[in-house]
Amino acid sequence: MSNLLPTQFFKCLSDETRLSLILLIHAEGELCVCEMTYALQEVQPKISRHLAQLRSCNLLQDRREGQWVYYALMPQLPRWALSILDEANVGASSLVVEARKRLSIMGGRPARQTEYC
């Protein structure tokens, strides 16, 4: 179980881009940077910077598969944090809803060889 404090959790998610990223990843299971840049219509350096911040907060983990790096939620996130993300996705902002729609029609998405355990 994670030692994540609520203040740390909310501080990490206080930015709209980071919140959108984590909600999108939570909804999709795992995503690579190219999928997130396409879905959120943001430039790669901005997405990568925010992903690094989410990793430093211990909210995300990553794995490399060939040229791709995939991001998923840390499996050790406490139940209360997952519950908050679940509720936030139910009432997701139009930004996240639109991002998921864009992602569903994205061509050339990388094929995953393995999934997180």
Side-chain angles (χ1 to χ4, degrees):
M1 195 56 76
S2 171
N3 292 329
L4 180 66
L5 299 173
T7 52
Q8 178 187 12
F9 178 77
F10 289 113
K11 187 182 272 188
C12 273
L13 299 181
S14 65
D15 177 87
E16 183 178 4
T17 301
R18 287 192 298 274
L19 180 60
S20 296
L21 284 168
I22 204 153
L23 291 177
L24 192 58
I25 292 167
H26 181 53
E28 295 291 324
E30 74 171 1
L31 292 169
C32 72
V33 175
C34 67
E35 291 170 309
M36 290 179 265
T37 58
Y38 185 87
L40 296 178
Q41 297 182 323
E42 293 287 355
V43 296
Q44 181 271 325
K46 180 178 181 178
I47 295 296
S48 293
R49 183 177 68 250
H50 286 290
L51 289 170
Q53 289 173 319
L54 290 167
R55 283 187 58 230
S56 72
C57 292
N58 293 316
L59 299 181
L60 293 182
Q61 66 179 5
D62 64 352
R63 71 175 177 87
R64 181 170 294 282
E65 186 175 297
Q67 69 183 19
W68 309 106
V69 178
Y70 293 96
Y71 292 85
L73 294 180
M74 283 293 257
Q76 302 86 4
L77 282 180
R79 267 185 239 167
W80 62 263
L82 291 172
S83 178
I84 289 168
L85 294 176
D86 288 339
E87 289 298 318
N89 261 335
V90 168
S93 71
S94 61
L95 177 70
V96 175
V97 171
E98 289 303 313
R100 292 193 75 199
K101 284 180 187 175
R102 280 190 295 277
L103 193 56
S104 72
I105 61 169
M106 179 184 174
R109 289 179 75 179
R112 287 154 178 80
Q113 300 297 316
T114 58
E115 298 275 333
Y116 281 104
C117 299

